[in-house]
């Protein structure tokens, strides 16, 4: 990381390069030339250039010197605010730090708006961090410098004592993905752009207690200042020093005090939000950033320079809570406010990828890379989005670019391993997982995937060793199942039939040759549909949300009416607002799990409901769509679906439902959950124009219709109740995994299949029969009864 001195020298050289008329300012033409030159890969239109220049000249109006334009101090300020990357721009211009003109360095901008408007003393410039010299964020009063000096001494003394006692430790996390922090959000500019070292201060003990006591004395001096403005300046400076040294808890106290002194000032709320995020208090951080945003939006152009950073940091905080759709809105706003904010674009692309909007993600990530070609994280996420779209060859290239830029990029290595696995290139996949484990030895998923890839590559002995190592790392059931699977493969000595796990050779049988025995046995096609819905339930976790909570949302939280182009009243809300409702319904989920749920819901449900692409959905229809797959009795689920449709403005207050709405609901329900069957002829014949009313009894009859409604619900309920059932020592005759859920036993050949293989029509190749008849067992007690009946009939016959 460049020092403040070398950084200011680079800005000076950039300024001199574009100050063509040497008048000490960059006019619009000179600034336009700078913007174009430092973004050689971006093709700006005249409108974009003018918009950027308007924003710069408006935001930094205090640094505009008449017709001369933006001063050197103003250009330095833009870089201090994170509007550009000094090192990247300097390198793009092929400049060097040796000035050929023999001029003295331009003085740093003054940070004093009080009586002394002169430049900082040379020694004062040397001893301060970059933030302190910033016109909008820096130190204003001379008395504040004394507080900063005293505090730096206290911190150094504490650090020396903790290092001496062996208490102070640092965590180096540069092997992991950059979270995309703005430069305002890292522990310091040096740390966030450099080594990513996290200092773990030990807060217990006499040394720390003594430090806090002396810190309290400094805060008392700040409170005793001659004016409210000077006290504010003192607390802000103390907070900034503490934040730079990663003493976040103490820094937060100072920023909170600054908030009390000047409640409408954006900066203390912004800084307090950063501290709270660093402390892992995401809900409180979100609240502070929202206060900062409100203050900035009502404060006119005074805070315009900080608005993009507030949006970015608020977005990051929302992501930490799992609110990815809401985060997208803020990243998008930051990118609109500052079109060259490559971090905002990268974060937007990553968040869009996180909710399954892959094409939009690719576009945003490509724009970020155009602005910053060496952005390893952007290359990594672009590769993941390309893989999701099926462009695997290009994805490999992008993953490799990320690894070339950052050889220890764990995410790129791990995801590239997964891509190779999907492509059947098992040896290459195992190499990637080996590299991940070299960087992160306890990464149990990498260890498990390495074992599976080695098995796919035919290296059984090495796969066993890798599996044992995975078992040492974790006791999760996935590892135990994988080990049981390997044992079955070893016992049977079966050959693979193109499967990744060395499955037994199998034949896929025509559906007409699959017969069921007994009235309780599920047909193959019905099971296919039910398993697909069950898989979505697991991803969305909606089955863990009791349908009563949905009913409570309908009753307690009204949505204001809106009007479409047709003038028909609707209750529609934006997708990010709907995400807030889902967060309440799924409040028991951890943030990362909630993100997965939102992705599944967005891809499967919201994509269909938002058919116009305006990011708004009919809230009543949404409630009705999720009700059948939430937790609760089947009668309750259907009742809530009916009530949700009555909640829509066209039906509200009627007590009965329009038939056209019920038909549209069934059509959407089947489109979302049973897409393979498509829209039924019922809708094509009757259409959606029947405005006659129907009672709940008629609605339930329509709902239960297996051909036109959601008659699959009883089978789905069976899967919900039995998908954790294990069948002792039985393993599937095709995939060799332990049977979990239902066991389908072929009555003649007496082999058993799991849910998945039965639904796919797989039977062992060695079994040659014209037809296959299966009996379904939900539990082994049922199989025992059948066996006893069979034994009894044979005995009577004899």
């Amino acid at each position: 990381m460049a020092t403040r001195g070398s950084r200011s020298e680079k800005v000076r050289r950039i300024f001199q390069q574009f100050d063509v008329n040497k008048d000490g300012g960059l006019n619009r033409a000179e600034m336009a030339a700078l913007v174009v030159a430092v973004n050689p890969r971006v093709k700006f239109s005249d409108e974009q250039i003018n918009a950027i220049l308007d924003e710069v000249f408006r935001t930094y109006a205090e640094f505009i010197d008449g017709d001369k334009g933006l001063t050197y101090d103003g250009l330095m300020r833009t870089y201090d605010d994170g509007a550009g990357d000094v090192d990247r721009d300097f390198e793009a211009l092929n400049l060097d730090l040796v000035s050929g003109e023999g001029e003295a360095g331009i003085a740093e901008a003054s940070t004093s708006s009080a009586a002394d408007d002169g430049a900082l003393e040379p020694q004062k410039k040397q001893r301060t961090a970059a933030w302190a010299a910033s016109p909008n964020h820096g130190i204003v009063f001379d008395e504040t410098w004394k507080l900063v000096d005293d505090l730096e001494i206290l911190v150094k003394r504490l650090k020396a004592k903790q290092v001496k006692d062996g208490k102070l430790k640092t965590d180096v996390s540069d092997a992991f993905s950059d979270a995309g922090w703005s430069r305002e959000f890292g522990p310091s500019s040096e740390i966030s752009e450099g080594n990513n070292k996290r200092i773990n201060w030990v807060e217990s003990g006499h040394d720390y207690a003594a430090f806090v006591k002396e810190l309290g004395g400094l805060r008392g001096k700040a409170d005793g200042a001659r004016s409210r403005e000077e006290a504010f300046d003192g607390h802000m400076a103390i907070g900034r020093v503490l934040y730079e040294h990663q003493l976040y808890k103490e820094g937060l106290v100072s920023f909170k005090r600054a908030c009390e002194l000047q409640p409408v000032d954006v900066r203390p709320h912004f800084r307090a939000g950063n501290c709270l995020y660093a402390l892992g208090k995401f809900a409180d951080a979100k609240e502070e950033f929202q206060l900062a945003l409100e203050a900035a939006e009502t404060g006119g152009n005074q805070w315009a320079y900080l608005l993009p950073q507030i949006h970015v940091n608020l977005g990051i905080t929302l992501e930490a809570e799992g609110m990815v759709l809401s985060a997208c809105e803020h990243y998008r706003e930051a990118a609109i406010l500052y079109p060259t904010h490559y971090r905002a674009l990268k974060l937007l692309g990553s968040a869009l990828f996180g909710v399954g909007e892959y094409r939009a993600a690719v576009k945003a990530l490509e724009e970020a890379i155009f602005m910053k070609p060496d952005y390893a994280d952007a290359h990594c996420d672009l590769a993941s989005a390309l893989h999701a779209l099926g462009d695997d060859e290009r994805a490999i290239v992008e993953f490799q670019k990320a690894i070339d830029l950052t050889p220890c990029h764990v995410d790129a290595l791990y995801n590239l391993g997964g891509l190779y696995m999907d492509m059947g290139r098992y040896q290459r996949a195992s190499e990637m997982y080996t590299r991940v484990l070299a960087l992160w030895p306890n990464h149990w998923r990498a260890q498990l995937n390495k074992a599976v890839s080695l098995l796919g590559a035919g290296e059984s002995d090495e796969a066993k060793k890798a599996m044992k190592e995975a078992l040492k790392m974790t006791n999760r059931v996935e590892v135990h199942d994988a080990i049981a699977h390997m044992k079955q493969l070893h016992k049977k000595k079966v050959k693979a039939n193109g499967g990744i796990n060395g499955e037994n050779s199998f034949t896929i049988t025509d559906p007409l040759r699959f017969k069921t025995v007994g009235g309780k046995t599920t047909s193959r096609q019905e099971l296919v549909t039910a398993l697909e819905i069950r898989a979505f339930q697991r991803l969305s976790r909606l089955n863990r949300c009791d349908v009563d909570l949905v009913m409570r949302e309908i009753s307690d939280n009204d949505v204001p009416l809106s009007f479409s182009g047709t003038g028909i009243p609707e209750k529609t809300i934006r997708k990010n607002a709907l995400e807030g409702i889902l967060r309440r319904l799924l409040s028991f989920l951890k943030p990362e799990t909630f993100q997965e749920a939102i992705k599944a819901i967005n891809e499967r449900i919201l994509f269909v409901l938002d058919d116009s692409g305006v990011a708004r959905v009919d809230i009543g229809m949404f409630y009705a769509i999720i009700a059948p797959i939430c937790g609760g009795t089947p009668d309750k689920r259907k009742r809530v679906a009916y009530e949700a449709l009555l909640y829509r403005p066209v039906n509200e207050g009627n007590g009965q439902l329009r038939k056209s709405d019920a038909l549209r609901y069934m059509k959407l329900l089947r489109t979302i959950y049973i897409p393979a069957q498509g829209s039924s002829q019922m809708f094509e014949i009757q259409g959606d124009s029947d405005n006659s009313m129907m009672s709940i009894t008629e609605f339930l009859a329509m709902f239960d219709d297996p051909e036109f409604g959601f008659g699959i619900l009883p089978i789905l309920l069976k899967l919900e109740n039995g998908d954790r059932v294990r069948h002792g020592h039985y393993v599937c005759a095709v995939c060799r995994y332990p049977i979990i859920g239902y066991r389908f036993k072929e009555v003649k050949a007496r082999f058993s299949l799991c849910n998945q293989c039965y639904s796919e029509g797989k039977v062992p190749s060695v079994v040659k029969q014209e037809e296959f008849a299966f009996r379904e067992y939900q539990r082994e007690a049922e199989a025992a009864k059948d066996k006893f009946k069979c034994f009894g009939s044979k005995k009577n016959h004899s």
Side-chain angles (χ1 to χ4, degrees), residues 2-10 108:
T3 63
R4 176 68 180 182
S6 64
R7 190 169 181 277
S8 61
E9 179 66 15
K10 287 181 177 181
E108 296 280 357

Side-chain angles (χ1 to χ4, degrees), residues 599-613:
K599 178 181 180 181
I601 293 168
N602 187 53
E603 286 181 311
R604 187 144 194 171
I605 299 178
L606 303 187
F607 176 77
V608 175
L609 295 184
D610 181 28
D611 54 352
S612 59

Side-chain angles (χ1 to χ4, degrees), residues 64-138:
I64 304 301
D65 186 4
D67 294 335
K68 294 179 182 179
L70 188 71
T71 63
Y72 162 80
D73 293 343
L75 185 61
M76 174 63 84
R77 184 68 189 88
T78 66
Y79 283 115
D80 280 343
D81 288 341
D85 186 316
V86 177
D87 296 329
R88 181 183 69 87
D89 291 356
F90 194 79
E91 195 172 312
L93 296 170
N94 293 317
L95 297 175
D96 58 63
L97 287 174
V98 180
S99 172
E101 299 172 17
E103 296 179 1
I106 298 174
E108 296 280 357
S110 170
T111 59
S112 175
S113 61
D116 179 15
D117 288 330
L120 294 175
E121 303 166 11
Q123 64 270 27
K124 193 176 287 186
K125 284 194 297 179
Q126 291 171 7
R127 77 189 178 201
T128 184
W131 64 266
S134 165
N136 287 315
H137 289 283

